[in-house]
Amino acid sequence: MRKTEFLERLRAALNALPEEEAKKTIAYYAEMIDDRIEDGMSEEEAVAGLGEPEAVAREILLDAPLGKLVKAKMKPQRALRGWEIVLLVLGAPIWLPLLATAVVLLFTVYVVIWSIIITLWAVSAAVLLSGAAAIFGSVWIWMQNTAAGLFVLGGALACCGMGIFGLLGMKALTAFAVRLTVRLMRATKLFFIRRKQEGTGESV
């Protein structure tokens, strides 16, 4: 594949990005190909090393901030007609609150999930620290009453065990939540990417 073809296909696949951002990306890959050619590669080898332009575009779009994709999606592809503007204005009391509600709801769910995770981290740490403190306290109690000291020591060790178990569990749960967040973000980005591509009859 020649450089020109690669860049043309890449430009077509990046139409879900704002125009200025797409131009910067095209310029970056054009420079990268030129650098490889200067290092001794043929044009075909330099291009082949980058992979298929559609695959490259997909990764670029998935790594792009969601705000840029939304901005490109919301930007009209043509000037709105008078009747379209009227419909948007008249329908604003309906679609604008619904859109705001959906955004707030998604944000609230996200905040609640991470609030629960942070709370569970704090509880696990508190149980572990209280168990550690109780171990030292059991020494003084042991000096006063051996049976009571053993009881407190057993409870302290149990708290330490539960705290450690809780922290390990929270580590795994946090890792899962991070992966889930990344997947949801990628799925949201793919929604905007695919909708944009469907509007132009292309695919990434």
Side-chain angles (χ1 to χ4, degrees):
M1 186 188 309
R2 308 288 292 184
K3 171 185 173 181
T4 303
E5 180 185 353
F6 178 88
L7 296 178
E8 288 177 351
R9 288 171 58 182
L10 183 61
R11 182 181 292 105
L14 288 176
N15 71 339
L17 279 180
E19 185 177 351
E20 289 301 317
E21 193 70 22
K23 288 181 178 179
K24 291 179 182 179
T25 304
I26 296 300
Y28 170 77
Y29 277 91
E31 184 178 351
M32 183 185 297
I33 294 172
D34 291 338
D35 289 341
R36 291 186 171 201
I37 294 174
E38 289 178 4
D39 290 339
M41 288 186 178
S42 67
E43 183 175 341
E44 289 77 7
E45 290 173 338
V47 171
L50 298 176
E52 290 296 315
E54 289 76 17
V56 174
R58 179 185 175 88
E59 293 305 314
I60 293 172
L61 292 172
L62 289 177
D63 290 337
L66 181 59
K68 290 184 178 180
L69 299 177
V70 174
K71 180 180 178 181
K73 174 65 180 175
M74 299 303 293
K75 183 178 180 180
Q77 301 300 307
R78 57 175 175 76
L80 293 177
R81 297 184 177 90
W83 65 270
E84 291 175 325
I85 296 175
V86 172
L87 286 179
L88 284 174
V89 173
L90 293 178
I94 298 175
W95 64 261
L96 193 57
L98 290 176
L99 178 62
T101 301
V103 172
V104 171
L105 181 61
L106 289 174
F107 179 74
T108 302
V109 171
Y110 183 81
V111 170
V112 168
I113 290 174
W114 281 102
S115 297
I116 293 173
I117 290 176
I118 293 172
T119 301
L120 292 176
W121 268 106
V123 169
S124 299
V127 171
L128 178 59
L129 291 176
S130 64
I135 290 176
F136 290 102
S138 67
V139 175
W140 182 83
I141 297 175
W142 185 299
M143 295 173 62
Q144 307 298 320
N145 186 311
T146 303
L150 286 174
F151 179 79
V152 173
L153 179 61
L157 292 175
C159 284
C160 288
M162 288 188 294
I164 293 173
F165 180 77
L167 290 176
L168 292 175
M170 287 311 303
K171 181 180 179 181
L173 180 60
T174 302
F176 172 77
V178 170
R179 291 195 301 270
L180 181 61
T181 300
V182 172
R183 289 179 181 176
L184 289 175
M185 186 63 68
R186 289 173 69 91
T188 304
K189 289 180 179 180
L190 280 174
F191 169 78
F192 285 98
I193 294 168
R194 287 171 179 167
R195 294 283 294 182
K196 182 75 174 182
Q197 298 297 334
E198 287 172 3
T200 57
E202 298 167 357
S203 61
V204 174

